[in-house]
Amino acid sequence: MYIIEKSLKLSENVYEIWVNAPHVTRNAKAGQFVIIRTDENGERIPLTISKISGDLVRIIFMAVGKTTHALAAVPAGGAISDIAGPLGCPSEVKKFGTCVLVGGGVGIASTPVIAQALKEAGNRVIGILGARNADFLILEDEMAEICDKLLIATDDGSKGHHGFAADLLKQVIAEEKVDAVWIIGPTIMMKVTSNVTREPKIKTFVSLNPIMVDGTGMCGSCRCVVDGKTKFACVDGPEFDAHQVDFDNLMQRQRYYMEHEKEALAQWKEHQCSCGGQH
Amino acid sequence: MGDRSVADRLKDFGEVDNGLSPEEAIEEASRCLQCKKPACVDGCPVNIDIPAFVAFIAKGEFLKAAESIRQQNLLPAICGRVCPQETQCEALCILGKKDTPIRIGQLERFAADQERAKGLTVPARKTATGKRVAVIGSGPAGIVAAGELAKDGHDVILYESLHAPGGVLTYGIPSFRLPKDVVKAEIDLILAMGVDLRLNHLVGRTVSHQELEGYDAILLGTGAGLPYFMGIPGENLSGVYSANEFLTRINLMHAERFPEFDTPVARMSRVVVVGGGNVAMDAARTARRMGAKVTLVYRRREEDLPARAAEVHHAQEEGIEFITCANPVRILGDQAVTGIECIRMHMCNLDESGRPVPEPIDNDTFTLDCDVVIQAIGQGPNPVLVSQIPDLDKGKAGNVVTGEDGRTSHPKIFAAGDVTTGAATVIMAMGGAKQAARSISEMLGSR
Ligand SMILES: Cc1cc2nc3c(=O)[nH]c(=O)nc-3n(C[C@H](O)[C@H](O)[C@H](O)COP(=O)(O)OP(=O)(O)OC[C@H]3O[C@@H](n4cnc5c(N)ncnc54)[C@H](O)[C@@H]3O)c2cc1C
Ligand SMILES: Cc1cc2nc3c(=O)[nH]c(=O)nc-3n(C[C@H](O)[C@H](O)[C@H](O)COP(=O)(O)OP(=O)(O)OC[C@H]3O[C@@H](n4cnc5c(N)ncnc54)[C@H](O)[C@@H]3O)c2cc1C
Ligand code: SF4
Ligand code: FES
């Protein structure tokens, strides 16, 4: 059992938890993830390591289905049955020059550790955060502190640029020389945004989020097509060259269990009610 | 007592083979000739004193039989169920020349089950040596090595990346062949010897390979978990599984009981399994229990199927259709799988080993409609850790090269099981692990 030391709600449906997991924190690096299981009947789900502090791992997640809802419902001081990690390859951190980190929605969760690592490697770091509206924007202060420059976009214009993060990325590229870009967010957002850097041929990384089971290279559930070749995102990734990724295949594979997911969530919610949310 | 009826067993994941009753066991054991030079023992990769334990069963001394087996084999209830006895001990049993060989596997299983029902006793340990040994991977190789090393008095730290120990025994082999409580009981016994099991640790990431150097010795038992794919068009469509993924979703994650358990698996009505080994049989029979109509496509002839004869027989009884001399060339579908296109294979030419070489017959293709395809065409050594360790000699398939004694090219590192041999058997992994553990104890000066 692993204790959740802190748990808070960051915005509608987005939560932050700190899990006590010294085995994970010892060697964790930017860009890696963990796999958690909430309880004995639970599914193994991957979540990015968003920050490390002593023995604690910070995870920020959106409650979308059964497991993430159940995770959000674990109170501070409560426990989850498993956390494995760190998993995946760390981000490629070196001195590039000027780096831009684009975070979309809950994908912003992954950006501070990478920004920090890039900064420490001597890069100038520009952050671009995109969210549906001002209420959904997370980690703004934290990114502002790390980054040399921080830009914000909201779909409804309630904060910063009225529009997409991709517009801001275009703008930055027009204004200055950019050497490397990270785009982390919903798959469709990564697909669209990475088109901005395709033409000018700027090295661009995306962090892929296929459905996983073991996260150790044993099942092949997480396979993605990169440069026409099959890669296992859990051990070869999760970060890949954005311009080589087959996003359509990824999105198609992500949708496969949609019916199951709806059913599981509905059942979970029903059960929650019958015991007064005390489960 | 025989097998459960087909109708009955397709309803659940309960064990198919009921095993022997005490009367049947005594009768079977009494047939043994108690040969002076028992050929059966030569066929056993861990040299169980077969005539000795069989004699105890004949006398009705079941616990003594189990104790006798346990001297050579720490996982008898598992081996009694999954070892390919028909090509090992039983193949050499003298009675097999004229009549049927002694059913050694069934007797081993019987003795182990009797013992387990009475409660297992934890094996004794030698005085502590103060040496620390890291064992990586908790499949049969890692478990057995951990047990042997603990017996020899070392401090054993057993690392496992998943949330449950057992390797393929837990996530691969279905419970209708190997019930999970049997696996758990045998593993628990080894852990009770003081082995420090650390789950959720992927060595190479959670623990760096440099940190491993801090141990007095290291045993790699990371298995052959890397699934192979055929590399044909359509393979990354939704609904195409590796056998590992499909079996893991069900055996480890209990997707057959979704939504009581959270992990989903496709709802399948027509499944095509590609391959002909034990893994393919397990995948096919599992899919059958999920309610699907199952077709197995294998590129050679039926007589060439590498799976155990008993499993092929069980699969056929359960209504799995076999299409032999055919090989998939393309998986069809737009969003998800809708079918699979195969080509017929021509089987005349024999290779050096006398096995026919399958060759496609031009343009002779056919299509099967299906909503799930499971590829069970083999798997290779798990590269995550071994690819990170410098100066570790590896073979062509990425397997770790060892001597007879289990030593690798790295002075502190030993290896056993599928990571050295590629996909093999439980008993081979156990035999290798015992040998490697012995070598480690010799190196550490305690043998
Ligand atoms: C490397 C990686 C890092 C991730 N990091 C984060 C993060 O930091 N924060 C965050 O909110 N989300 C993250 N995700 C996505 C997260 O894993 C899914 O949201 C989560 O699994 C949903 O589980 P659920 O049961 O609540 O939802 P479900 O209802 O089961 O699924 C909702 C959607 O989540 C995805 N999903 C479902 N099961 C899995 C699975 N086993 N593995 C991966 N995706 C799945 C599918 O696209 C699905 O349509 C990450 C995914 C990956 C692969
Ligand atoms: C479906 C199926 C059916 C089979 N049927 C039979 C049968 O009937 N009879 C038979 O004799 N054999 C059978 N086999 C083969 C047999 O199971 C294997 O040969 C045997 O399990 C190999 O044992 P192992 O300990 O080497 O590896 P595994 O059982 O593969 O165990 C390796 C363990 O190491 C863990 N691991 C890997 N990398 C790391 C790491 N870096 N850090 C920490 N942990 C790690 C894995 O999670 C796993 O638990 C079957 C195999 C399969 C897949
Ligand atoms: S070879 Fe057969 S008959 Fe002889 S001892 Fe072994 S099991 Fe008994
Ligand atoms: S999640 Fe199983 S191989 Fe990546």
Side-chain angles (χ1 to χ4, degrees), chain A residues 26 66 219 223 252 257 260, chain B residues 211 235 241-242 262 335:
Chain A
R26 253 170 0 101
K66 149 90 209 267
C219 76
R223 59 195 197 276
Q252 177 228 305
Y257 298 103
H260 288 82
Chain B
E211 286 172 288
E235 190 156 82
Y241 288 101
S242 73
D262 296 342
Q335 293 298 306

Side-chain angles (χ1 to χ4, degrees), chain B residues 255 336 402:
Chain B
T402 61

Side-chain angles (χ1 to χ4, degrees), chain B residues 35-55:
Chain B
C35 308
K36 282 268 148 1
K37 283 202 190 105
C40 54
V41 179
D42 295 335
C44 174
V46 295
N47 292 313
I48 294 174
D49 189 345
I50 294 167
F53 98 76
V54 173

Side-chain angles (χ1 to χ4, degrees), chain B residues 107-312:
Chain B
L107 292 175
E108 179 183 26
R109 167 182 167 178
F110 172 79
D113 286 354
Q114 291 285 324
E115 184 196 28
R116 198 174 60 261
K118 299 270 168 4
L120 302 172
T121 0
V122 181
R125 291 185 69 167
K126 290 191 189 147
T127 32
T129 60
K131 304 282 187 191
R132 294 174 75 238
V133 185
V135 176
I136 303 156
S138 67
I143 285 286
V144 165
E148 296 289 339
L149 290 162
K151 259 199 220 166
D152 286 349
H154 310 304
D155 285 343
V156 181
I157 293 87
L158 177 60
Y159 289 111
E160 169 56 50
S161 53
L162 296 172
H163 59 261
V168 171
L169 305 175
T170 300
Y171 75 71
I173 304 180
S175 52
F176 53 79
R177 279 211 293 135
L178 182 63
K180 298 307 154 201
D181 54 337
V182 171
V183 176
K184 185 171 187 312
E186 297 211 315
I187 293 177
D188 282 350
L189 187 68
I190 285 170
L191 298 182
M193 292 166 71
V195 172
D196 178 2
L197 171 66
R198 305 217 181 140
L199 298 171
N200 297 312
H201 281 61
L202 178 64
V203 180
R205 304 253 204 247
T206 309
V207 179
S208 70
H209 70 270
Q210 291 94 337
E211 286 172 288
L212 287 181
E213 298 280 344
Y215 288 94
D216 295 300
I218 298 121
L219 186 128
L220 296 175
T222 49
L226 177 77
Y228 293 151
F229 288 91
M230 284 186 295
I232 58 175
E235 190 156 82
N236 291 320
L237 284 169
S238 294
V240 182
Y241 288 101
S242 73
N244 269 5
E245 178 184 354
F246 178 66
L247 291 169
T248 299
R249 282 184 182 270
I250 291 176
N251 294 322
L252 180 70
M253 306 309 298
H254 300 292
E256 83 282 6
R257 283 160 70 185
F258 181 88
E260 178 194 347
F261 282 75
D262 296 342
T263 305
V265 68
R267 300 199 165 107
M268 50 197 95
S269 59
R270 296 209 41 168
V271 175
V272 171
V273 175
V274 183
N278 283 323
V279 183
M281 295 307 144
D282 283 346
R285 297 175 65 199
T286 300
R288 198 69 193 97
R289 282 164 178 72
M290 296 300 291
K293 178 174 180 320
V294 182
T295 305
L296 186 135
V297 176
Y298 178 58
R299 63 191 183 137
R300 298 173 201 265
R301 301 166 304 178
E302 185 161 334
E303 58 265 44
D304 302 318
L305 283 165
R308 294 181 70 185
E311 303 316 330
V312 175

